Coordinates of all heavy atoms in Angstrom, one line a residue:
M1 N -15.0 -1.6 -80.8 CA -14.1 -0.6 -80.3 C -14.3 -0.3 -78.8 O -13.4 -0.1 -78.1 CB -14.1 0.6 -81.1 CG -13.1 1.6 -80.7 SD -13.0 3.0 -81.9 CE -13.5 4.3 -80.9
G2 N -15.5 -0.2 -78.4 CA -15.8 0.2 -77.0 C -15.3 -0.9 -76.0 O -14.9 -0.5 -74.9
R3 N -15.3 -2.1 -76.4 CA -14.8 -3.2 -75.5 C -13.3 -3.0 -75.2 O -12.9 -3.2 -74.1 CB -15.0 -4.5 -76.2 CG -15.7 -5.5 -75.3 CD -15.8 -6.8 -76.0 NE -16.6 -6.7 -77.2 CZ -16.8 -7.7 -78.0 NH1 -16.3 -8.9 -77.7 NH2 -17.6 -7.6 -79.1
F4 N -12.5 -2.6 -76.2 CA -11.1 -2.4 -76.0 C -10.8 -1.2 -75.1 O -9.9 -1.3 -74.3 CB -10.4 -2.2 -77.4 CG -10.5 -3.5 -78.2 CD1 -11.1 -3.4 -79.4 CD2 -9.9 -4.6 -77.8 CE1 -11.2 -4.5 -80.2 CE2 -10.0 -5.8 -78.6 CZ -10.6 -5.7 -79.8
V5 N -11.6 -0.2 -75.2 CA -11.4 1.0 -74.4 C -11.7 0.6 -72.9 O -11.0 0.9 -72.0 CB -12.3 2.2 -74.8 CG1 -12.3 3.3 -73.8 CG2 -11.8 2.7 -76.2
Y6 N -12.8 -0.1 -72.7 CA -13.2 -0.6 -71.4 C -12.1 -1.5 -70.8 O -11.7 -1.4 -69.6 CB -14.5 -1.3 -71.4 CG -14.9 -1.9 -70.1 CD1 -15.4 -1.1 -69.1 CD2 -14.8 -3.3 -69.9 CE1 -15.7 -1.6 -67.9 CE2 -15.2 -3.8 -68.7 CZ -15.6 -3.0 -67.7 OH -16.0 -3.5 -66.5
R7 N -11.5 -2.4 -71.6 CA -10.5 -3.3 -71.1 C -9.3 -2.6 -70.7 O -8.6 -2.9 -69.7 CB -10.2 -4.3 -72.2 CG -9.3 -5.4 -71.8 CD -8.9 -6.4 -72.8 NE -10.0 -6.7 -73.8 CZ -9.9 -7.3 -74.9 NH1 -8.7 -7.9 -75.2 NH2 -10.9 -7.5 -75.7
D8 N -8.9 -1.5 -71.4 CA -7.7 -0.7 -71.1 C -7.9 0.0 -69.8 O -7.1 0.1 -68.9 CB -7.4 0.3 -72.2 CG -6.8 -0.4 -73.4 OD1 -6.3 -1.6 -73.3 OD2 -6.8 0.2 -74.5
R9 N -9.1 0.6 -69.6 CA -9.5 1.3 -68.4 C -9.5 0.3 -67.2 O -9.0 0.7 -66.1 CB -10.8 2.0 -68.5 CG -10.8 3.2 -69.4 CD -12.1 3.9 -69.4 NE -12.1 5.0 -70.3 CZ -13.2 5.6 -70.7 NH1 -14.4 5.2 -70.4 NH2 -13.1 6.6 -71.6
L10 N -10.0 -0.9 -67.4 CA -10.0 -1.9 -66.3 C -8.6 -2.3 -66.0 O -8.3 -2.4 -64.8 CB -10.8 -3.1 -66.8 CG -11.1 -4.2 -65.8 CD1 -12.0 -3.6 -64.6 CD2 -11.9 -5.3 -66.4
R11 N -7.7 -2.5 -66.9 CA -6.3 -2.8 -66.7 C -5.6 -1.7 -65.9 O -4.9 -2.0 -64.9 CB -5.6 -3.1 -68.0 CG -4.2 -3.4 -67.9 CD -3.6 -3.6 -69.2 NE -2.2 -4.0 -69.1 CZ -1.3 -4.2 -70.1 NH1 -1.8 -4.0 -71.3 NH2 -0.1 -4.5 -69.9
A12 N -5.9 -0.5 -66.2 CA -5.3 0.6 -65.5 C -5.8 0.7 -64.1 O -5.0 0.9 -63.2 CB -5.5 1.9 -66.3
A13 N -7.1 0.5 -63.9 CA -7.6 0.5 -62.6 C -7.1 -0.6 -61.7 O -6.8 -0.4 -60.5 CB -9.2 0.4 -62.6
R14 N -6.9 -1.8 -62.2 CA -6.3 -2.9 -61.5 C -4.9 -2.6 -61.0 O -4.5 -2.8 -59.9 CB -6.3 -4.2 -62.3 CG -7.7 -4.8 -62.4 CD -7.6 -6.1 -63.2 NE -8.9 -6.7 -63.3 CZ -9.3 -7.4 -64.3 NH1 -8.4 -7.7 -65.3 NH2 -10.5 -7.9 -64.4
A15 N -4.1 -2.0 -62.0 CA -2.7 -1.7 -61.7 C -2.7 -0.6 -60.6 O -1.8 -0.6 -59.7 CB -2.0 -1.2 -62.9
D16 N -3.6 0.4 -60.7 CA -3.6 1.5 -59.7 C -3.9 0.9 -58.3 O -3.3 1.4 -57.3 CB -4.6 2.5 -60.1 CG -4.2 3.3 -61.3 OD1 -3.1 3.2 -61.8 OD2 -5.1 4.1 -61.9
R17 N -4.8 0.0 -58.2 CA -5.1 -0.6 -56.9 C -4.0 -1.4 -56.4 O -3.7 -1.4 -55.2 CB -6.4 -1.5 -57.0 CG -7.7 -0.7 -57.0 CD -8.9 -1.6 -56.8 NE -8.9 -2.7 -57.7 CZ -9.6 -2.7 -58.9 NH1 -10.2 -1.6 -59.3 NH2 -9.6 -3.8 -59.7
Q18 N -3.3 -2.2 -57.3 CA -2.2 -3.1 -56.9 C -1.1 -2.2 -56.3 O -0.5 -2.6 -55.3 CB -1.8 -3.9 -58.1 CG -0.6 -4.8 -57.8 CD -0.1 -5.5 -59.0 OE1 -0.6 -5.4 -60.1 NE2 0.9 -6.3 -58.8
F19 N -0.7 -1.1 -57.0 CA 0.4 -0.3 -56.5 C 0.0 0.8 -55.6 O 0.8 1.6 -55.2 CB 1.1 0.3 -57.8 CG 1.9 -0.7 -58.5 CD1 1.4 -1.5 -59.5 CD2 3.3 -0.9 -58.2 CE1 2.1 -2.4 -60.2 CE2 4.1 -1.8 -58.9 CZ 3.5 -2.6 -59.9
H20 N -1.3 0.9 -55.3 CA -1.8 2.0 -54.4 C -1.5 3.4 -54.9 O -1.2 4.3 -54.2 CB -1.3 1.8 -53.0 CG -1.6 0.5 -52.4 ND1 -2.8 0.1 -51.9 CD2 -0.8 -0.6 -52.1 CE1 -2.8 -1.1 -51.5 NE2 -1.6 -1.6 -51.6
C21 N -1.6 3.5 -56.3 CA -1.3 4.8 -56.9 C -2.6 5.4 -57.4 O -3.6 4.6 -57.7 CB -0.4 4.6 -58.1 SG 1.3 4.1 -57.7
S22 N -2.7 6.7 -57.5 CA -3.8 7.3 -58.2 C -3.3 8.4 -59.1 O -2.3 9.1 -58.8 CB -4.8 7.9 -57.1 OG -4.2 8.9 -56.4
V23 N -4.1 8.6 -60.2 CA -3.7 9.6 -61.2 C -4.8 10.6 -61.2 O -6.0 10.3 -61.3 CB -3.6 8.9 -62.6 CG1 -3.3 10.0 -63.6 CG2 -2.5 7.9 -62.6
K24 N -4.4 11.9 -61.1 CA -5.4 13.0 -61.2 C -4.9 13.8 -62.4 O -3.8 14.3 -62.5 CB -5.3 13.9 -59.9 CG -5.6 13.1 -58.7 CD -7.1 12.7 -58.6 CE -7.4 12.0 -57.3 NZ -8.5 11.2 -57.3
R25 N -5.8 13.9 -63.4 CA -5.5 14.7 -64.6 C -5.8 16.1 -64.3 O -6.7 16.5 -63.7 CB -6.4 14.2 -65.7 CG -6.3 12.7 -66.0 CD -5.9 12.5 -67.4 NE -5.8 11.0 -67.6 CZ -4.7 10.4 -67.8 NH1 -3.6 11.0 -67.7 NH2 -4.7 9.1 -68.0
G26 N -4.9 17.0 -64.8 CA -5.0 18.4 -64.6 C -5.4 19.0 -65.9 O -5.9 18.3 -66.9
P27 N -5.3 20.3 -66.1 CA -5.7 21.0 -67.3 C -4.7 20.6 -68.4 O -3.5 20.5 -68.2 CB -5.6 22.5 -67.0 CG -4.7 22.5 -65.8 CD -4.8 21.3 -65.1
G28 N -5.2 20.4 -69.6 CA -4.4 20.1 -70.7 C -3.7 18.7 -70.6 O -4.4 17.7 -70.3
S29 N -2.4 18.7 -70.8 CA -1.7 17.4 -70.8 C -0.9 17.2 -69.5 O 0.1 16.5 -69.5 CB -0.8 17.3 -72.0 OG 0.2 18.4 -71.9
T30 N -1.4 17.8 -68.4 CA -0.7 17.7 -67.1 C -1.5 17.0 -66.1 O -2.7 16.8 -66.3 CB -0.3 19.1 -66.6 OG1 -1.5 19.8 -66.3 CG2 0.6 19.9 -67.6
G31 N -0.9 16.7 -65.0 CA -1.6 16.0 -63.9 C -0.6 15.6 -62.8 O 0.6 16.0 -62.9
H32 N -1.0 14.8 -61.9 CA -0.1 14.2 -60.9 C -0.4 12.8 -60.5 O -1.6 12.4 -60.6 CB 0.0 15.2 -59.7 CG -1.2 15.2 -58.9 ND1 -2.3 16.1 -59.1 CD2 -1.7 14.5 -57.8 CE1 -3.2 16.0 -58.3 NE2 -2.9 15.0 -57.4
I33 N 0.6 12.1 -60.1 CA 0.5 10.7 -59.6 C 0.7 10.7 -58.1 O 1.8 11.2 -57.7 CB 1.5 9.8 -60.3 CG1 1.4 9.9 -61.9 CG2 1.4 8.4 -59.9 CD1 2.6 9.4 -62.6
H34 N -0.2 10.2 -57.4 CA 0.0 10.1 -55.9 C 0.4 8.6 -55.6 O -0.3 7.7 -56.0 CB -1.3 10.4 -55.3 CG -1.3 10.4 -53.8 ND1 -2.0 9.4 -53.0 CD2 -0.6 11.1 -52.9 CE1 -1.7 9.6 -51.8 NE2 -0.9 10.7 -51.6
M35 N 1.6 8.4 -55.0 CA 2.0 7.1 -54.8 C 2.7 6.9 -53.4 O 3.4 7.9 -53.0 CB 3.0 6.6 -55.9 CG 4.2 7.5 -56.0 SD 5.4 7.0 -57.3 CE 6.1 5.5 -56.6
P36 N 2.5 5.8 -52.7 CA 3.3 5.6 -51.5 C 4.7 5.2 -51.8 O 5.0 4.4 -52.7 CB 2.5 4.5 -50.8 CG 1.8 3.7 -51.9 CD 1.6 4.7 -53.0
V37 N 5.6 5.7 -51.0 CA 7.0 5.3 -51.0 C 7.5 5.0 -49.6 O 7.6 5.9 -48.8 CB 7.9 6.4 -51.6 CG1 9.4 6.0 -51.6 CG2 7.5 6.8 -53.0
G38 N 7.6 3.8 -49.3 CA 7.9 3.4 -47.9 C 6.7 3.7 -47.0 O 5.6 3.3 -47.3
T39 N 7.0 4.5 -46.0 CA 5.9 5.0 -45.1 C 5.4 6.3 -45.4 O 4.6 6.9 -44.7 CB 6.5 5.0 -43.7 OG1 7.6 5.9 -43.6 CG2 6.9 3.6 -43.2
R40 N 5.9 7.0 -46.5 CA 5.5 8.3 -46.9 C 4.7 8.3 -48.2 O 4.9 7.4 -49.0 CB 6.7 9.2 -46.9 CG 7.5 9.2 -45.6 CD 8.7 9.9 -45.7 NE 8.5 11.4 -45.7 CZ 9.4 12.3 -45.9 NH1 10.6 11.9 -46.1 NH2 9.1 13.6 -45.8
D41 N 4.0 9.4 -48.4 CA 3.3 9.5 -49.7 C 3.9 10.6 -50.5 O 4.2 11.7 -50.1 CB 1.8 9.9 -49.4 CG 1.0 8.8 -48.8 OD1 1.4 7.6 -49.0 OD2 0.0 9.1 -48.1
L42 N 4.1 10.3 -51.8 CA 4.8 11.2 -52.8 C 3.8 11.6 -53.9 O 3.0 10.8 -54.3 CB 6.0 10.5 -53.4 CG 6.9 11.2 -54.3 CD1 7.7 12.3 -53.5 CD2 7.8 10.3 -55.0
V43 N 3.9 12.8 -54.3 CA 3.2 13.3 -55.4 C 4.2 13.6 -56.5 O 5.2 14.3 -56.3 CB 2.4 14.6 -55.1 CG1 1.7 15.1 -56.3 CG2 1.3 14.3 -54.0
V44 N 4.0 13.0 -57.7 CA 4.8 13.2 -58.8 C 4.0 13.9 -59.9 O 3.0 13.4 -60.4 CB 5.4 11.9 -59.4 CG1 6.3 12.1 -60.6 CG2 6.1 11.1 -58.3
Y45 N 4.4 15.1 -60.3 CA 3.7 15.9 -61.3 C 4.2 15.4 -62.7 O 5.4 15.1 -62.8 CB 3.9 17.4 -61.2 CG 3.2 17.9 -60.0 CD1 3.8 17.9 -58.7 CD2 1.9 18.3 -60.0 CE1 3.2 18.4 -57.6 CE2 1.2 18.7 -58.9 CZ 1.8 18.7 -57.7 OH 1.2 19.2 -56.6
Y46 N 3.3 15.3 -63.7 CA 3.7 14.8 -65.0 C 3.1 15.7 -66.1 O 2.2 16.4 -65.9 CB 3.3 13.4 -65.2 CG 1.8 13.2 -65.3 CD1 1.2 13.3 -66.6 CD2 1.0 12.9 -64.3 CE1 -0.1 13.1 -66.8 CE2 -0.4 12.8 -64.4 CZ -0.9 12.9 -65.7 OH -2.3 12.7 -65.8
E47 N 3.7 15.5 -67.3 CA 3.1 16.0 -68.5 C 3.0 14.8 -69.5 O 3.7 13.9 -69.4 CB 4.0 17.1 -69.1 CG 4.0 18.3 -68.4 CD 4.8 19.4 -69.1 OE1 5.1 19.2 -70.3 OE2 5.1 20.4 -68.5
S48 N 2.0 14.8 -70.3 CA 1.9 13.8 -71.4 C 2.5 14.3 -72.7 O 2.5 15.5 -72.9 CB 0.4 13.5 -71.7 OG -0.2 12.9 -70.5
S49 N 3.1 13.4 -73.4 CA 3.7 13.8 -74.7 C 3.2 12.7 -75.7 O 2.7 11.7 -75.4 CB 5.2 13.8 -74.6 OG 5.7 12.5 -74.6
P50 N 3.5 13.0 -77.0 CA 3.1 12.0 -78.0 C 3.8 10.7 -77.9 O 3.3 9.7 -78.4 CB 3.5 12.7 -79.4 CG 3.6 14.2 -79.0 CD 4.0 14.3 -77.6
T51 N 5.0 10.7 -77.3 CA 5.8 9.5 -77.2 C 5.7 8.7 -75.9 O 6.0 7.6 -75.8 CB 7.3 9.7 -77.4 OG1 7.7 10.7 -76.5 CG2 7.5 10.3 -78.8
A52 N 5.1 9.4 -74.8 CA 5.0 8.8 -73.5 C 3.7 9.3 -72.8 O 3.4 10.4 -73.0 CB 6.2 9.1 -72.7
D53 N 3.1 8.4 -72.0 CA 1.9 8.8 -71.3 C 2.3 9.7 -70.1 O 1.5 10.6 -69.8 CB 1.2 7.5 -70.8 CG 0.7 6.7 -72.0 OD1 0.2 7.2 -72.9 OD2 0.9 5.4 -71.9
F54 N 3.4 9.4 -69.5 CA 3.8 10.2 -68.3 C 5.3 10.6 -68.5 O 6.1 9.8 -68.5 CB 3.7 9.4 -67.0 CG 2.3 8.8 -66.8 CD1 2.0 7.5 -67.1 CD2 1.3 9.7 -66.3 CE1 0.7 7.0 -66.9 CE2 0.0 9.2 -66.1 CZ -0.3 7.8 -66.4
V55 N 5.5 11.9 -68.5 CA 6.9 12.4 -68.5 C 7.1 13.1 -67.2 O 6.4 14.1 -66.9 CB 7.1 13.4 -69.7 CG1 8.5 14.0 -69.7 CG2 6.8 12.8 -71.0
V56 N 8.0 12.6 -66.4 CA 8.2 13.1 -65.0 C 9.6 13.6 -64.9 O 10.5 13.3 -65.7 CB 7.9 12.0 -64.0 CG1 6.5 11.5 -64.0 CG2 8.9 10.8 -64.2
S57 N 9.9 14.4 -63.8 CA 11.2 14.9 -63.6 C 11.4 14.9 -62.0 O 10.4 14.9 -61.3 CB 11.5 16.3 -64.2 OG 10.7 17.2 -63.4
R58 N 12.6 15.0 -61.6 CA 12.9 15.1 -60.2 C 12.4 16.4 -59.6 O 11.9 16.4 -58.4 CB 14.5 15.0 -60.1 CG 14.9 15.0 -58.6 CD 16.4 15.0 -58.6 NE 16.9 13.6 -58.4 CZ 18.1 13.3 -58.2 NH1 19.1 14.2 -58.2 NH2 18.4 12.0 -57.9
R59 N 12.4 17.4 -60.4 CA 11.8 18.7 -59.9 C 10.3 18.7 -59.6 O 9.8 19.5 -58.9 CB 12.1 19.8 -60.9 CG 13.6 20.2 -60.9 CD 13.8 21.3 -61.9 NE 13.3 21.0 -63.2 CZ 14.0 20.7 -64.3 NH1 15.3 20.8 -64.2 NH2 13.5 20.4 -65.4
G60 N 9.6 17.7 -60.3 CA 8.2 17.6 -60.2 C 7.7 16.7 -59.1 O 6.6 16.1 -59.2
M61 N 8.5 16.6 -58.0 CA 8.1 15.7 -56.9 C 8.0 16.5 -55.6 O 8.7 17.4 -55.4 CB 9.2 14.6 -56.7 CG 9.3 13.7 -57.9 SD 10.6 12.5 -57.4 CE 10.8 11.8 -59.0
K62 N 7.0 16.0 -54.8 CA 6.9 16.6 -53.5 C 6.2 15.6 -52.5 O 5.5 14.8 -53.0 CB 6.1 17.9 -53.5 CG 4.6 17.8 -53.7 CD 3.9 19.1 -53.5 CE 2.4 18.8 -53.5 NZ 1.7 20.0 -53.1
W63 N 6.6 15.7 -51.3 CA 5.9 14.8 -50.3 C 4.6 15.4 -49.9 O 4.4 16.6 -49.9 CB 6.8 14.7 -49.0 CG 8.1 14.1 -49.2 CD1 9.3 14.7 -49.1 CD2 8.4 12.7 -49.5 NE1 10.3 13.7 -49.4 CE2 9.8 12.5 -49.6 CE3 7.5 11.6 -49.8 CZ2 10.3 11.3 -50.0 CZ3 8.1 10.4 -50.1 CH2 9.5 10.2 -50.2
V64 N 3.6 14.6 -49.7 CA 2.3 15.0 -49.3 C 2.4 15.8 -48.0 O 1.6 16.8 -47.8 CB 1.3 13.9 -49.2 CG1 0.0 14.3 -48.6 CG2 1.1 13.2 -50.6
S65 N 3.3 15.4 -47.1 CA 3.4 16.1 -45.8 C 3.9 17.5 -45.9 O 3.8 18.3 -45.0 CB 4.3 15.3 -44.9 OG 5.6 15.3 -45.4
G66 N 4.5 17.9 -47.1 CA 5.0 19.2 -47.3 C 6.5 19.3 -47.0 O 7.1 20.4 -47.2
D67 N 7.1 18.2 -46.5 CA 8.6 18.2 -46.3 C 9.3 18.4 -47.6 O 8.8 18.0 -48.6 CB 9.0 16.9 -45.6 CG 8.4 16.7 -44.3 OD1 8.0 17.7 -43.6 OD2 8.3 15.6 -43.8
P68 N 10.5 19.0 -47.6 CA 11.2 19.2 -48.8 C 11.7 17.8 -49.3 O 12.0 16.9 -48.5 CB 12.4 20.0 -48.4 CG 12.5 20.1 -46.9 CD 11.1 19.7 -46.4
V69 N 11.7 17.7 -50.6 CA 12.1 16.4 -51.2 C 13.6 16.4 -51.4 O 14.2 17.1 -52.1 CB 11.4 16.2 -52.6 CG1 11.9 14.9 -53.2 CG2 9.9 16.2 -52.4
E70 N 14.3 15.6 -50.6 CA 15.7 15.3 -50.6 C 15.9 13.9 -50.9 O 15.8 13.0 -50.1 CB 16.4 15.7 -49.3 CG 16.2 17.2 -49.0 CD 16.7 17.6 -47.6 OE1 17.3 16.7 -46.9 OE2 16.6 18.7 -47.3
L71 N 16.1 13.6 -52.2 CA 16.2 12.2 -52.6 C 17.7 11.8 -52.8 O 18.4 12.5 -53.5 CB 15.5 12.0 -53.9 CG 14.0 12.3 -53.9 CD1 13.4 12.2 -55.3 CD2 13.3 11.3 -53.0
T72 N 18.0 10.6 -52.3 CA 19.3 10.0 -52.6 C 19.2 9.3 -53.9 O 18.1 9.1 -54.4 CB 19.7 9.1 -51.5 OG1 18.8 8.0 -51.5 CG2 19.8 9.8 -50.2
D73 N 20.3 8.9 -54.5 CA 20.2 8.1 -55.7 C 19.5 6.8 -55.5 O 18.8 6.3 -56.4 CB 21.7 7.8 -56.2 CG 22.3 9.0 -56.7 OD1 21.6 10.0 -57.1 OD2 23.6 9.1 -56.8
K74 N 19.6 6.2 -54.3 CA 18.9 4.9 -54.0 C 17.4 5.2 -54.0 O 16.6 4.4 -54.5 CB 19.4 4.4 -52.7 CG 18.9 3.0 -52.4 CD 19.6 2.4 -51.2 CE 19.2 1.0 -51.0 NZ 20.0 0.3 -50.0
D75 N 17.0 6.3 -53.4 CA 15.5 6.6 -53.4 C 15.0 6.8 -54.8 O 13.9 6.4 -55.1 CB 15.3 7.9 -52.6 CG 15.6 7.8 -51.1 OD1 15.5 6.6 -50.6 OD2 15.9 8.8 -50.4
L76 N 15.8 7.5 -55.6 CA 15.4 7.8 -57.0 C 15.3 6.5 -57.8 O 14.4 6.4 -58.6 CB 16.4 8.8 -57.6 CG 15.9 9.5 -58.9 CD1 14.6 10.3 -58.6 CD2 16.9 10.4 -59.4
E77 N 16.2 5.6 -57.5 CA 16.1 4.3 -58.2 C 14.8 3.5 -57.8 O 14.2 2.9 -58.7 CB 17.3 3.4 -57.9 CG 18.6 3.9 -58.6 CD 19.8 3.0 -58.1 OE1 19.6 1.9 -57.6 OE2 20.9 3.5 -58.3
L78 N 14.5 3.6 -56.5 CA 13.3 2.9 -56.0 C 12.0 3.6 -56.7 O 11.1 2.8 -57.2 CB 13.2 3.0 -54.5 CG 11.9 2.5 -53.9 CD1 11.8 1.0 -54.1 CD2 11.8 2.9 -52.4
I79 N 12.0 4.9 -56.7 CA 10.8 5.6 -57.3 C 10.7 5.3 -58.8 O 9.7 5.0 -59.3 CB 10.9 7.1 -57.0 CG1 10.7 7.3 -55.5 CG2 9.9 7.9 -57.8 CD1 11.1 8.7 -55.1
S80 N 11.9 5.3 -59.5 CA 11.9 5.0 -60.9 C 11.4 3.6 -61.2 O 10.6 3.4 -62.1 CB 13.3 5.3 -61.4 OG 13.3 4.9 -62.8
A81 N 11.9 2.7 -60.4 CA 11.5 1.3 -60.6 C 10.0 1.1 -60.3 O 9.3 0.3 -61.1 CB 12.4 0.3 -59.7
T82 N 9.5 1.7 -59.3 CA 8.1 1.6 -58.9 C 7.2 2.2 -60.0 O 6.3 1.6 -60.4 CB 7.8 2.3 -57.6 OG1 8.7 1.7 -56.6 CG2 6.4 2.1 -57.2
L83 N 7.6 3.4 -60.5 CA 6.8 4.0 -61.5 C 6.9 3.2 -62.8 O 5.9 3.1 -63.5 CB 7.4 5.4 -61.8 CG 6.9 6.5 -60.9 CD1 7.6 7.8 -61.2 CD2 5.4 6.7 -61.0
S84 N 8.0 2.7 -63.2 CA 8.1 1.9 -64.4 C 7.3 0.6 -64.3 O 6.6 0.3 -65.3 CB 9.6 1.5 -64.7 OG 10.3 2.6 -64.9
A85 N 7.3 -0.1 -63.2 CA 6.5 -1.3 -63.0 C 5.1 -1.0 -63.0 O 4.2 -1.7 -63.6 CB 6.9 -2.0 -61.7
W86 N 4.7 0.1 -62.4 CA 3.3 0.5 -62.4 C 2.8 0.9 -63.8 O 1.7 0.4 -64.2 CB 3.1 1.7 -61.4 CG 1.8 2.5 -61.5 CD1 0.6 2.1 -61.0 CD2 1.6 3.7 -62.1 NE1 -0.3 3.0 -61.3 CE2 0.3 4.0 -62.0 CE3 2.4 4.6 -62.8 CZ2 -0.3 5.2 -62.5 CZ3 1.9 5.8 -63.3 CH2 0.5 6.1 -63.1
A87 N 3.6 1.6 -64.5 CA 3.2 2.0 -65.9 C 3.1 0.8 -66.8 O 2.2 0.7 -67.6 CB 4.2 3.0 -66.4
R88 N 4.0 -0.1 -66.6 CA 4.0 -1.4 -67.4 C 2.7 -2.2 -67.1 O 2.1 -2.7 -68.0 CB 5.2 -2.2 -67.1 CG 6.0 -2.7 -68.4 CD 7.2 -3.5 -68.1 NE 7.6 -3.8 -66.7 CZ 8.6 -3.1 -66.1 NH1 9.2 -2.1 -66.8 NH2 8.9 -3.4 -64.9
A89 N 2.4 -2.3 -65.8 CA 1.2 -3.0 -65.4 C -0.1 -2.4 -66.0 O -1.0 -3.1 -66.3 CB 1.1 -3.1 -63.9
R90 N -0.1 -1.1 -66.1 CA -1.3 -0.4 -66.6 C -1.3 -0.2 -68.1 O -2.2 0.3 -68.7 CB -1.6 0.8 -65.9 CG -0.7 2.0 -66.2 CD -0.9 3.2 -65.2 NE -2.2 3.5 -64.8 CZ -3.0 4.5 -65.3 NH1 -2.5 5.2 -66.3 NH2 -4.2 4.8 -64.8
G91 N -0.2 -0.7 -68.8 CA -0.1 -0.5 -70.2 C 0.3 0.9 -70.7 O -0.1 1.3 -71.8
S92 N 1.0 1.6 -69.8 CA 1.4 3.0 -70.1 C 2.9 3.0 -70.2 O 3.6 2.1 -69.9 CB 0.9 3.9 -69.0 OG -0.5 3.9 -68.9
T93 N 3.4 4.2 -70.6 CA 4.8 4.4 -70.6 C 5.2 5.6 -69.8 O 4.4 6.6 -69.7 CB 5.4 4.7 -72.1 OG1 4.6 5.8 -72.6 CG2 5.2 3.5 -72.9
V94 N 6.3 5.5 -69.1 CA 6.8 6.6 -68.2 C 8.2 6.9 -68.6 O 9.0 6.0 -68.8 CB 6.6 6.4 -66.7 CG1 7.4 5.2 -66.3 CG2 6.9 7.6 -65.9
V95 N 8.6 8.2 -68.7 CA 10.0 8.5 -69.0 C 10.3 9.7 -68.1 O 9.4 10.5 -67.7 CB 10.3 8.9 -70.5 CG1 10.0 7.7 -71.4 CG2 9.4 10.1 -70.9
G96 N 11.6 10.0 -67.9 CA 12.0 11.1 -67.1 C 13.2 11.0 -66.2 O 14.1 10.2 -66.5
F97 N 13.1 11.7 -65.1 CA 14.2 11.8 -64.2 C 15.4 12.5 -64.8 O 16.6 12.0 -64.6 CB 14.5 10.5 -63.5 CG 13.4 9.9 -62.8 CD1 12.7 8.9 -63.2 CD2 13.0 10.5 -61.6 CE1 11.6 8.4 -62.6 CE2 11.9 10.0 -60.9 CZ 11.2 9.0 -61.4
D98 N 15.2 13.6 -65.5 CA 16.3 14.2 -66.2 C 17.1 15.1 -65.2 O 18.3 15.2 -65.4 CB 15.8 15.1 -67.3 CG 14.6 16.0 -66.9 OD1 14.3 16.0 -65.7 OD2 14.1 16.7 -67.8
A99 N 16.5 15.7 -64.3 CA 17.2 16.6 -63.4 C 16.5 16.7 -62.0 O 15.4 16.4 -61.9 CB 17.4 18.0 -63.9

C-alpha cells in the first residue's frame, strides 16, 4: 500500500512541476492553487468535496499582484483548460466555474 501512495505523490509532483503550479492546503478542506497565466500569476482558492479533489469558482480567483480579476470568457476558457489538464496529469479532478 505504501508504494501506491508514494507513486501518486510522485505523479502529482511531476505534474505540478510541468505546469508550474503549486498547491497549498489550508485548514480543513480548503486551500489554494498558485498558477501562471500568460505573464501573470493567479491564485485560485478551492474546496475539496467527496466527488472532486478541487472545487473552484470564478469568485475564488485573484491575481498575485493584487489587481482586480476581470476575466473575459476567453481567459476563463484558458484557465479552465489549464486547470483541467493539470488535474488530469496529477490524477485529480477539478470542477467549478459556476459564477
Side-chain angles (χ1 to χ4, degrees):
M1 183 170 121
R3 231 183 299 177
F4 295 116
V5 171
Y6 175 75
R7 190 179 325 169
D8 289 343
R9 287 183 183 165
L10 188 61
R11 179 180 181 182
R14 283 182 184 150
D16 291 349
R17 280 194 307 272
Q18 179 183 359
F19 285 86
H20 304 286
C21 293
S22 64
V23 177
K24 302 291 182 200
R25 304 236 182 254
S29 62
T30 62
H32 66 273
I33 304 163
H34 182 248
M35 61 182 286
V37 177
T39 59
R40 304 172 78 185
D41 291 334
L42 183 72
V43 175
V44 180
Y45 291 91
Y46 73 87
E47 290 185 14
S48 295
S49 77
T51 58
D53 297 315
F54 303 103
V55 179
V56 297
S57 72
R58 185 181 258 187
R59 290 181 303 252
M61 296 182 192
K62 73 172 191 171
W63 296 112
V64 171
S65 64
D67 296 337
V69 177
E70 297 172 3
L71 299 172
T72 64
D73 289 337
K74 192 170 185 173
D75 293 336
L76 197 59
E77 286 177 21
L78 173 68
I79 292 167
S80 176
T82 303
L83 278 174
S84 295
W86 167 76
R88 230 181 355 263
R90 72 189 323 257
S92 303
T93 55
V94 63
V95 297
F97 298 108
D98 50 3

